[in-house]
Amino acid sequence: MLALAIAALLVSPAAAQDEAPRKLDPMAVQVIHDFGKCVAKRNPGLVDKVLALDFHTPGYKVELRRLTTGQSGCINGGKLASTTSLFAGALAEGRLTGEDAQLAEKLGWHEGEPVGAARNELEAMGLCIVRKSPEAVVTLLRTEVNSEQEKLAFKGVTTFLGECTANGTQLRINRPGLRAQIALAAWRVTHMPVSGS
């Protein structure tokens, strides 16, 4: 039986000084990414409802877990284990796949447009990157996970990490975690009310 356990992706801001994000098995990351995109393709309405929930609530994790059941067509047997952020990011990417050529235009901030309030530092960082560099975000999300193209595309978004991180906050995040946060922010901009409520 296949058992893929994915270690913690993100370190909380408080612990960031003492601990770095763990290195993840690239194959495990690819499997979770493909699984999440497949689930999103098969259940778009349900995925949107779950991603719209407040991720601070226990119900969010429960509903994410429910999305993994009955999805035998998305994986060849076995058992998957992942952090909620990595799986949720893959779901968000799945919902953004196939968006029209104007996706970058939809992601960019326009003068006078309200910006949704971020619910934590990571979400603030993701929303900031999406709004400041929509073209680079679209380029990143259209690359294959763990590919050379992905590595190159990350250069376009990491330029904004400094200015998109709150003063005095140290966030250490690995590449899969950053991609997940950016995908979730892009989904939020395109699929939730502009007010961010």
Side-chain angles (χ1 to χ4, degrees):
M1 178 180 277
L2 172 68
L4 295 176
I6 296 184
L9 270 180
L10 305 173
V11 177
S12 69
Q17 304 88 289
D18 305 317
E19 187 180 350
R22 296 180 186 159
K23 187 165 174 59
L24 303 175
D25 177 355
M27 187 181 92
V29 173
Q30 182 72 60
V31 169
I32 290 296
H33 192 262
D34 292 345
F35 177 71
K37 288 179 80 172
C38 177
V39 170
K41 184 177 181 181
R42 291 165 55 120
N43 309 278
L46 185 55
V47 166
D48 283 345
K49 284 180 185 175
V50 173
L51 292 180
L53 296 173
D54 182 349
F55 59 79
H56 292 107
T57 63
Y60 176 74
K61 289 183 180 179
V62 169
E63 294 303 321
L64 273 181
R65 202 170 302 119
R66 279 191 186 144
L67 280 174
T68 66
T69 61
Q71 304 294 343
S72 58
C74 289
I75 192 164
N76 296 323
K79 179 182 176 184
L80 291 173
S82 172
T83 62
T84 55
S85 59
L86 184 60
F87 180 53
L91 293 171
E93 278 202 51
R95 291 297 293 124
L96 292 167
T97 299
E99 286 276 345
D100 60 29
Q102 282 73 44
L103 180 58
E105 174 68 19
K106 291 176 183 177
L107 293 177
W109 182 79
H110 306 285
E111 192 69 36
E113 181 181 57
V115 178
R119 296 167 287 191
N120 67 11
E121 291 92 345
L122 290 169
E123 188 172 67
M125 176 198 67
L127 288 168
C128 176
I129 289 171
V130 165
R131 292 306 208 175
K132 285 186 175 289
S133 187
E135 294 86 1
V137 165
V138 170
T139 298
L140 172 64
L141 297 181
R142 289 186 174 154
T143 65
E144 287 295 320
V145 171
N146 300 321
S147 66
E148 288 303 313
Q149 291 80 12
E150 182 195 50
K151 289 178 187 174
L152 289 171
F154 263 113
K155 292 179 182 176
V157 297
T158 54
T159 305
F160 298 96
L161 275 178
E163 63 183 285
C164 286
T165 304
N167 288 337
T169 303
Q170 283 188 303
L171 294 175
R172 295 185 187 174
I173 186 168
N174 56 29
R175 192 178 290 141
L178 179 57
R179 181 169 178 149
Q181 290 302 314
I182 289 170
L184 286 163
W187 177 87
R188 186 175 176 199
V189 168
T190 56
H191 288 77
M192 289 183 75
V194 173
S195 65
S197 62

